[in-house]
Amino acid sequence: MKTIILATAIRILIPLFIIFSVYTLFRGHNHPGGGFIGGLIGSIAFVFHTMTHGPQHTVDTFLKLNLYGYPRQPNQSRSLYLMRMMRVNVWRRRKMARHPDIKHHMVRIESVYIIATGLFLAATSGVFGLLSGQPFMHAYWSDFYIPVLGKPGTPILFDLGVYLLVIGVVLKITFVMSEE
Amino acid sequence: MFLAILAGFLLAFAAPLLHRWLGKWVLVPMATLPFSIFVYLLTLTPAVLGGDKLGELHDWAPSLNINLHFFLDGLSLLFALLITGFGTLIMLYAGGYLKGHPLLGRFYLYLTLFMTAMLGLVLAGNIISIFVFWELTSISSYLLIGFNQDKEKSRNSALQALLVTGLGGLALMGGLILLGMAGGSYTLSELLERGDLVTNHALYLPALVLILLGAFTKSAQFPFHFWLPNAMEAPTPVSAYLHSATMVKAGVYLLARLTPVMGGTDEWQYTLMLVGGITTVLGALLATQHTDLKAILAYTTISALGLLVTMTGIGTAPAMEAMVVFLLAHALYKGTLFLVAGNVDHATGTRDLTQLTGLSGSMRYTAIAALLAGMSMAGLLPFFGFIGKELLYEATLEESPFRWMLFAVSFFSGMVFVAVAIALGFGVFWRRSTKPTPLQHPDKLLLYLPPVVLASAGLVFGLLPGFFVTPLLRRAAESMLGVEQVFELALWHGFNLVLGLSLLTMALGYVVYRYANRLLSYASRFNKLYLFGPANLYQLTLKGFLIGATKITATIQNGYLRSYIAAIVTAQISLVVLALWDDGPRLELGNRLHELSQLRLYEVVLLLMIVSALVFLFKSQSRLTSIAIMGIVGYSAALLYILFGAPDVAATQLLIETLTVVIFVLILHKLPTFKYLSHATERYKYVLISLTFGAVMTYVILIVKQYPLDSQLKAYYGQNSYLLAHGRNIVNVILVDFRAFDTLGEIVVLAVAAIGIMAMLKLRMQKGEKP
């Protein structure tokens, strides 16, 4: 489905959608919103993108990680190598992309991974309570307050898990439906 | 004891890893474990022989009266020693038998798992834990029989064994629960003292039938005997250990264990004697119809199990005495003979009796073991088997209305045992032959050591019966009879009737052996009879189940979403109507009509929108229109939510509607053209269902509104959501904090649904079908 207006508009709107969805997620604790609604808002952005550009393009644009790296030197320790790789991929991306020795890997983030991450976050948020002898899912809150977002605590983690899971599920369904 | 069981399970699952690290030396730790448990049990022996009953209690589910309770008395000790002692030898033997097999680690896993489960079964002091271990033995037996998973016959035999013993296990569970209800306790030591209470209880008969079903399937009694010969597809160590010495005796153990609780009644005695007797004769008869070493051994095992059950059924002191002695003797010689058969198979590549001769020269030690075991089986004088047979005859000749029947049964089986013993212990190895069967490899230490040890145990126990065996067996018989027993085992009873009958058995057994070929030639005449046998019945039942299941699935799972939804909705309607029909509160609308005047204009407009949209939906001729109309309905509902002050629900509804419409549009052009395939009447049927559902739900809501809302819950959440959970949005606080566990369950369902959708659509695409 190619409509130029929607296709152009959605590219500008996606960051807005994402920011708004994250805002809804964190706002949910005190005002209408929350992980489920936030996740739906976030996923709608991608669904519209898939609708106008096709699933392959959506995956290429948003769900591919470019990783840079070089093979491990023979006498380099494994941990040092891992740390170097992290630095290469986090702080020096621009410079490394043009470097001749550096190899370029593309990693596709499957939407199932997003689902799994969400489920993992939601489940582990309850373990904190379990570890300190309280019942599973007992909530813990920190004492400080972050502006806009509110007080961090384990329920926020749980909500984040729900958010990711909803995004993952909707993306998966959309991709599967539109790929065939 | 708990530690022993735990160690067993841990080591079982470490076995594949150990095999990877240690290679063929994996047998060292695997054999050490049963041996150390054996030694540990030996240290407990003096206490048990002194008449103590050792118990050990660990809480499992105390609220349900289910505990991990271990209980050691004479009977358990006898079985536990048998399991661990034999287990040690089997572990060694398996190391030799499956040497170099890539899956040896897995084999040890299954075997150790089985051994631990069996040990747990005989040590368990709570009937629920007995059942749990019982099922574990069934499962590990299934895995072991199907160990050669690439052979179809192994897989079928394994499944057959699992289904038959699993059926029995299910019955047993019911029986044990009924028994626990009748006796008022699930603890064995308490039940053992409540025999009278149980036998006079109304639940006694059903409990008895179910428990006997469990015991008979496990111990391969007629008409469930057919799985045992098929189970011989398993590697020989398994056949020797599970299907002759230990697992099949679990049923006998259970019967013996429950004798003080349930025994002594007419139903008990007659059923056991009848079934045991038929099994004994049938097993013996069928044993003469085969030439495969393992098949012969399997059928004689069935026969021996039948004898054990018969003895339990007779239930007198001499019978119990005979049963424990024969049980031990049988385990020793039958285990040996199985191992010998495995050796022969391993070395020559065949198990056919007619092709095997003169092996004594090339397999010296195996031959000696076979000879010793054969003599014990035949009941020759200095062997333990002799004592067993003497006692059997004595027990059957006790004063009772069936004495001659019982004697005939044991005499017949004794005769066949003699013939089989001669064929296996003598014929295969020692009969002179000009052309001995050639060997593929010479005898190996690991393969001949275990049978030699077992067979010599039979000889030693026979020569020195008073030393260790008698006190142990006495305590074992005592736990079945519930009274103190005094009996002494002796080799020589003097010249009496029983000795004469023993000699007669041997003479006739030799005759059977001589004319075995002629007996074999009758085999083909029985073929027609087998058509009506239980094995065939099993096949037919299995086929019937498959056909039935296919048909039911085709009816229920017809693949039309509409019929699923209709079924769900109809079920809910009928449940609600059922609940409201009789004593549901009556709806009083009369005094509430004035509430209608409070309707706002926008509410009426929304209602009209929804209703008219639904009418259009029913008439619409294109898919796009219907999706758009569904969208109108959804958005109107969302608006209603907003008007009634539920912004969270409204937001969710709005987003879901948007997503539904967008996703529909995404795949719209890929779907076939929109046509009404169903008949018009069928559509009216769905309209009717929808209308009824709407009416029922409205009725329910009206009734609910009739009563003042008890809003303690609302007040609680209102008060505590900010104080305890630091959130002002009550809905969200409930979702992520107060009832977070529910939400976790819901998102798990969501994730599973996504994976399911992916699997369904992807799989179809790979098949190249149109989705």
Side-chain angles (χ1 to χ4, degrees):
Chain A
M1 204 165 136
K2 291 275 173 195
T3 63
I4 294 172
I5 298 174
L6 189 57
T8 320
I10 199 66
R11 295 174 64 169
I12 304 163
L13 284 176
I14 276 187
L16 279 181
F17 264 111
I18 302 284
I19 290 167
F20 184 60
S21 73
V22 174
Y23 171 68
T24 320
L25 159 72
F26 283 104
R27 162 182 202 276
H29 219 61
N30 292 325
H31 307 283
F36 197 79
I37 298 176
L40 286 176
I41 294 175
S43 55
I44 281 178
F46 294 109
V47 172
F48 270 111
H49 194 271
T50 310
M51 205 168 103
T52 48
H53 293 86
Q56 198 54 50
H57 193 241
T58 313
V59 171
D60 288 346
T61 322
F62 300 106
L63 297 178
K64 279 239 167 106
L65 272 185
N66 291 314
L67 291 181
Y68 304 98
Y70 53 84
R72 187 151 68 100
Q73 310 299 313
N75 50 1
Q76 194 176 21
S77 86
R78 192 176 287 270
S79 47
L80 182 67
Y81 172 72
L82 278 178
M83 267 152 49
R84 284 265 164 83
M85 282 302 101
M86 257 198 242
R87 196 178 66 149
V88 163
N89 282 306
V90 177
W91 287 289
R92 305 199 157 184
R93 295 186 63 91
R94 281 283 155 74
K95 208 187 260 178
M96 287 302 157
R98 293 193 298 270
H99 201 279
D101 294 344
I102 299 289
K103 279 190 184 143
H104 182 200
H105 298 278
M106 294 242 272
V107 179
R108 178 175 169 172
I109 305 175
E110 297 280 345
S111 29
V112 178
Y113 300 165
I114 306 180
I115 300 179
T117 316
L119 211 52
F120 179 77
L121 276 183
T124 36
S125 77
V127 176
F128 290 105
L130 210 58
L131 285 180
S132 50
Q134 298 282 348
F136 187 59
M137 292 281 177
H138 185 88
Y140 279 97
W141 294 94
S142 55
D143 292 332
F144 52 93
Y145 187 89
I146 302 174
V148 184
L149 300 182
K151 247 181 183 179
T154 52
I156 299 285
L157 206 61
F158 183 86
D159 229 8
L160 190 66
V162 177
Y163 174 85
L164 284 178
L165 183 124
V166 169
I167 290 194
V169 168
V170 176
L171 281 184
K172 185 78 235 174
I173 294 175
T174 317
F175 289 157
V176 166
M177 290 269 203
S178 53
E179 259 169 18
E180 58 192 51
Chain B
M1 282 180 257
F2 178 62
L3 270 182
I5 304 281
L6 197 68
F9 282 126
L10 288 180
L11 191 68
F13 287 101
L17 210 63
L18 287 173
H19 180 231
R20 196 172 297 164
W21 289 341
L22 300 174
K24 65 175 182 177
W25 294 110
V26 64
L27 71 94
V28 176
M30 302 321 283
T32 312
L33 176 83
F35 187 67
S36 34
I37 301 178
F38 183 72
V39 172
Y40 166 70
L41 287 168
L42 279 184
T43 61
L44 295 178
T45 311
V48 175
L49 293 188
D52 274 359
K53 286 175 179 143
L54 306 175
E56 203 180 301
L57 190 71
H58 299 272
D59 280 351
W60 189 354
S63 52
L64 294 174
N65 219 344
I66 297 169
N67 298 312
L68 208 56
H69 185 160
F70 294 106
F71 178 74
L72 191 72
D73 65 351
L75 190 65
S76 337
L77 185 66
L78 171 67
F79 271 90
L81 285 176
L82 198 64
I83 291 161
T84 47
F86 203 166
T88 313
L89 295 174
I90 284 294
M91 293 291 174
L92 292 174
Y93 184 82
Y97 192 82
L98 290 173
K99 192 174 175 185
H101 196 289
L103 294 177
L104 182 63
R106 192 188 290 177
F107 184 76
Y108 270 128
L109 191 168
Y110 297 158
L111 202 61
T112 313
L113 193 65
F114 165 76
M115 191 197 74
T116 315
M118 192 66 206
L119 197 63
L121 170 62
V122 297
L123 290 182
N126 179 296
I127 52 178
I128 301 294
S129 22
I130 287 187
F131 168 74
V132 171
F133 286 118
W134 178 282
E135 289 291 274
L136 258 178
T137 60
S138 291
I139 293 167
S140 44
S141 151
Y142 165 71
L143 293 170
L144 282 167
I145 298 172
F147 181 67
N148 293 321
Q149 60 215 12
D150 44 343
K151 282 191 209 153
E152 196 189 351
K153 193 149 180 259
S154 299
R155 294 200 303 267
N156 286 342
S157 307
L159 188 64
Q160 190 182 45
L162 181 71
L163 286 179
V164 174
T165 52
L167 173 80
L170 210 59
L172 181 73
M173 182 175 76
L176 288 178
I177 290 173
L178 288 182
L179 175 66
M181 281 160 67
S185 168
Y186 288 101
T187 311
L188 203 57
S189 46
E190 285 173 23
L191 276 173
L192 287 177
E193 283 154 18
R194 296 183 191 171
D196 290 336
L197 182 71
V198 173
T199 42
N200 293 324
H201 201 275
L203 288 174
Y204 172 68
L205 204 60
L208 178 72
V209 170
L210 291 172
I211 288 178
L212 287 188
L213 203 61
F216 287 168
T217 48
K218 195 77 160 185
S219 281
Q221 298 296 300
F222 176 82
F224 305 108
H225 61 275
F226 56 90
W227 70 265
L228 188 57
N230 288 339
M232 295 301 148
E233 282 298 314
T236 305
V238 178
S239 311
Y241 191 42
L242 272 73
H243 305 126
S244 85
T246 55
M247 190 186 86
V248 287
K249 295 218 169 85
V252 177
Y253 168 78
L254 187 74
L255 293 178
R257 176 48 85 202
L258 293 178
T259 304
V261 189
M262 308 188 79
T265 58
D266 285 352
E267 297 93 333
W268 170 274
Q269 281 193 327
Y270 293 145
T271 322
L272 289 194
M273 283 198 277
L274 184 71
V275 173
I278 294 179
T279 314
T280 313
V281 176
L282 193 75
L285 201 63
L286 288 172
T288 60
Q289 305 294 323
H290 289 266
T291 56
D292 182 359
L293 287 181
K294 276 175 89 176
I296 296 174
L297 287 172
Y299 281 112
T300 49
T301 305
I302 291 177
S303 183
L305 290 170
L307 268 181
L308 290 174
V309 170
T310 317
M311 288 299 133
T312 317
I314 297 174
T316 56
M320 288 307 186
E321 190 184 324
M323 184 211 137
V324 283
V325 173
F326 182 61
L327 186 132
L328 182 59
H330 174 259
L332 292 177
Y333 70 70
K334 192 55 69 64
T336 313
L337 286 177
F338 262 111
L339 297 183
V340 165
N343 272 356
V344 170
D345 186 18
H346 205 263
T348 63
T350 176
R351 294 200 306 246
D352 197 338
L353 199 57
T354 51
Q355 293 177 15
L356 294 164
T357 47
L359 286 172
S360 65
S362 42
M363 303 177 76
R364 175 65 62 177
Y365 292 103
T366 310
I368 290 172
L371 187 66
L372 292 177
M375 290 205 275
S376 187
M377 184 175 184
L380 281 184
L381 192 51
F383 287 91
F384 199 56
F386 173 76
I387 306 178
K389 183 159 293 179
E390 293 275 289
L391 288 173
L392 275 184
Y393 285 175
E394 269 176 29
T396 49
L397 286 171
E398 286 264 305
E399 229 16 90
S400 92
F402 313 98
R403 58 188 287 192
W404 292 113
M405 281 287 275
L406 291 173
F407 176 70
V409 164
S410 55
F411 186 78
F412 180 72
S413 71
M415 207 168 69
V416 174
F417 283 7
V418 171
V420 170
I422 298 174
L424 262 63
F426 175 77
V428 172
F429 294 98
W430 302 90
R431 197 173 57 198
R432 276 200 210 117
S433 153
T434 46
K435 222 177 82 185
T437 318
L439 292 194
Q440 290 164 353
H441 66 75
D443 228 359
K444 288 182 197 157
L445 175 71
L446 274 180
L447 288 180
Y448 67 70
L449 186 68
V452 167
V453 171
L454 272 179
S456 21
L459 181 61
V460 172
F461 288 171
L463 287 173
L464 298 167
F467 165 58
F468 170 71
V469 187
T470 314
L472 179 61
L473 293 179
R474 188 195 298 155
R475 290 291 168 201
E478 192 183 298
S479 9
M480 287 188 280
L481 289 157
V483 248
E484 190 97 6
Q485 286 301 303
V486 185
F487 70 81
E488 287 300 326
L489 297 179
L491 261 182
W492 186 246
H493 290 254
F495 293 101
N496 52 15
L497 175 67
V498 174
L499 185 68
L501 288 171
S502 270
L503 290 176
L504 187 65
T505 318
M506 282 183 210
L508 285 176
Y510 182 69
V511 174
V512 173
Y513 167 67
R514 279 309 296 255
Y515 294 99
N517 284 336
R518 189 166 298 174
L519 273 176
L520 270 176
S521 64
Y522 295 138
S524 57
R525 301 192 191 172
F526 285 113
N527 281 349
K528 268 199 186 134
L529 210 60
Y530 289 147
L531 280 183
F532 303 99
N536 222 340
L537 203 67
Y538 162 84
Q539 297 291 353
L540 282 179
T541 321
L542 207 60
K543 256 184 218 158
F545 268 126
L546 276 181
I547 294 169
T550 319
K551 280 195 175 153
I552 290 177
T553 313
T555 323
I556 299 178
Q557 303 279 333
N558 56 9
Y560 291 115
L561 187 61
R562 54 173 179 269
S563 40
Y564 298 159
I565 293 178
I568 293 169
V569 168
T570 321
Q572 190 166 3
I573 295 172
S574 26
L575 281 179
V576 170
V577 169
L578 203 71
L580 289 178
W581 195 258
D582 271 346
D583 49 352
R586 292 277 160 257
L587 189 59
E588 285 140 19
L589 275 181
N591 49 359
R592 292 173 63 196
L593 276 176
H594 64 275
E595 287 176 17
L596 278 181
S597 59
Q598 291 170 1
L599 268 183
R600 303 287 173 80
L601 179 65
Y602 52 78
E603 289 171 11
V604 179
V605 170
L606 274 178
L607 197 72
L608 283 178
M609 252 171 77
I610 292 179
V611 171
S612 52
L614 283 178
V615 173
F616 274 111
L617 176 68
F618 193 57
K619 292 281 171 201
S620 82
Q621 291 296 332
S622 99
R623 195 171 270 127
L624 190 63
T625 327
S626 11
I627 292 165
I629 294 173
M630 282 307 284
I632 291 176
V633 176
Y635 286 125
S636 315
L639 268 179
L640 272 180
Y641 291 142
I642 293 175
L643 294 178
F644 286 104
D648 278 287
V649 188
T652 314
Q653 171 83 15
L654 270 175
L655 290 166
I656 289 285
E657 281 306 325
T658 315
L659 266 177
T660 317
V661 172
V662 170
I663 288 181
F664 254 120
V665 168
L666 208 63
I667 56 164
L668 196 61
H669 60 282
K670 289 171 185 154
L671 294 173
T673 47
F674 190 57
K675 262 191 282 185
Y676 284 115
L677 294 173
S678 54
H679 202 263
T681 49
E682 204 175 340
R683 271 183 285 144
Y684 280 108
K685 190 178 86 187
Y686 291 122
V687 171
L688 190 69
I689 291 175
S690 320
L691 282 178
T692 325
F693 187 59
V696 167
M697 290 323 283
T698 316
Y699 184 75
V700 169
I701 287 172
L702 282 175
I703 284 182
V704 169
K705 287 294 280 184
Q706 202 169 303
Y707 298 95
L709 202 59
D710 178 22
S711 58
Q712 264 182 4
L713 211 58
K714 208 161 128 191
Y716 173 81
Y717 283 133
Q719 276 168 6
N720 291 319
S721 104
Y722 192 70
L723 294 177
L724 291 179
H726 307 279
R728 276 192 293 271
N729 179 0
I730 298 179
V731 177
N732 202 53
V733 166
I734 291 174
L735 279 179
V736 301
D737 201 337
F738 285 123
R739 311 215 46 109
F741 203 57
D742 295 358
T743 316
L744 186 66
E746 281 155 22
I747 59 175
V748 168
V749 170
L750 206 60
V752 171
I755 293 167
I757 291 173
M758 177 178 79
M760 247 162 53
L761 289 173
K762 284 255 155 119
L763 280 181
R764 281 204 165 184
M765 275 191 284
Q766 275 166 9
K767 272 194 203 160
E769 289 176 20
K770 263 198 149 181

